[in-house]
Amino acid sequence: MGTQLEIPPSIFEKIVNAKVAAAMTGAGVSAESGVPTFRGENGLWRNRRPEELASMEGFLDDPRLVWDWYDWRRTTIAEINPNDGHYALAEMETVYDEFTLITQNVDGLHALAGSRDPVEMHGNIWHTRCMKEGTIMENREAPLKRIPPLCPNCNTMVRPHIIWFGEELDTDVLKRAGEAARSSEVFFVVGTSSVVQPAASLAGLAQRNNSLVVEVNLERTPITDSVDLFLQGPSGVVLPDLLRMICRARGFDV
Ligand code: BV8
């Protein structure tokens, strides 16, 4: 069952013997579940680029349009299940003594697949924030009953509690992600075009701290030439195969 990935023995040994590992994922890990990626061929929405829609400027210019986009994504995601790549990453929490899952995705699929405490660098599409009070709420309506949605406490418009382009990431989130990258012996970079900062810098940070960086992607990216191992293929196939190989090498009958 599954394919035997081509991995140089010295690299495979490090992957198997590591105690502390981390993974950083992007939209590609959810692609096989049916969640559209950002920069793939269907990376536009009503002829607008994500960078325009996922920004405070875009939101203030047309809150209804931006909420229509999020409502469309939320309603799509509400029907979607995690795929085998999400489940393999959740399994890695039992394979390594310490494993941190960092994601750029806001779809919540890692938690649904069993990842216990994902570091959601860009927030979560099911969370909203009152534009007046700053109150953070969970709203699972799909579709939304009202667009734009209002704060139940003060009736002010709420925004998605998501980090938009040009907005700073939460300092605690950044700290957790940075610590996980620095302390990892193996750092997996899965399904991301590695263009969005500061998430895209985590692989380099890990490598500068002697971590082995393993990239899993359908195609080459700006970091492929500098990683220690590039596994080309769909994460929903490659990650379960890799997990099986690690478990077998550790003597488990899988
Ligand atoms: C900030 C939430 C600073 C929205 C998102 C240098 C330093 C700091 C900032 C910058 C910088 N240079 C530029 C910037 C600005 C900007 C940025 O990075 N721009 C890019 C476009 C150049 N960064 C920011 O604005 C960040 N803020 O740094 O603030 C600051 C400092 C002081 C004061 C004020 C501000 C905030 C960035 C966060 C933006 N929000 N998401 C939402 O989701 O609605 S980012 C958005 O892009 C998503 O989170 C997405 O995950 C992320 C990255 O995209 P990917 O996940 O990689 O998805 P993509 O489609 O691109 O690629 C998919 C990949 O998967 C492909 O490689 C494909 O081959 C692969 N794939 C497909 N299928 C599969 C697969 N792989 C495996 N298996 C498959 N089946």
Side-chain angles (χ1 to χ4, degrees), residues 25-32 36-40 50-51 53-55 69-70 73 83 103-106 121-123 125 160 162-169 190-199 201 215-221 233-236:
T25 68
V29 82
S30 296
E32 290 159 78
T37 61
F38 275 77
R39 294 169 190 84
E51 284 79 2
L53 295 165
S55 71
W69 179 49
Y70 278 98
R73 290 169 67 194
N83 63 61
T103 187
Q104 300 171 82
N105 301 341
V106 298
M121 295 187 83
H122 299 156
I125 204 162
I162 273 179
I163 305 290
W164 283 334
F165 288 98
E167 294 186 322
E168 283 190 81
L169 276 67
V190 185
T192 178
S193 57
S194 286
V195 296
V196 172
Q197 295 294 352
S201 302
E215 183 182 32
V216 178
N217 201 307
L218 282 182
E219 57 196 24
R220 300 182 73 81
T221 70
S235 48

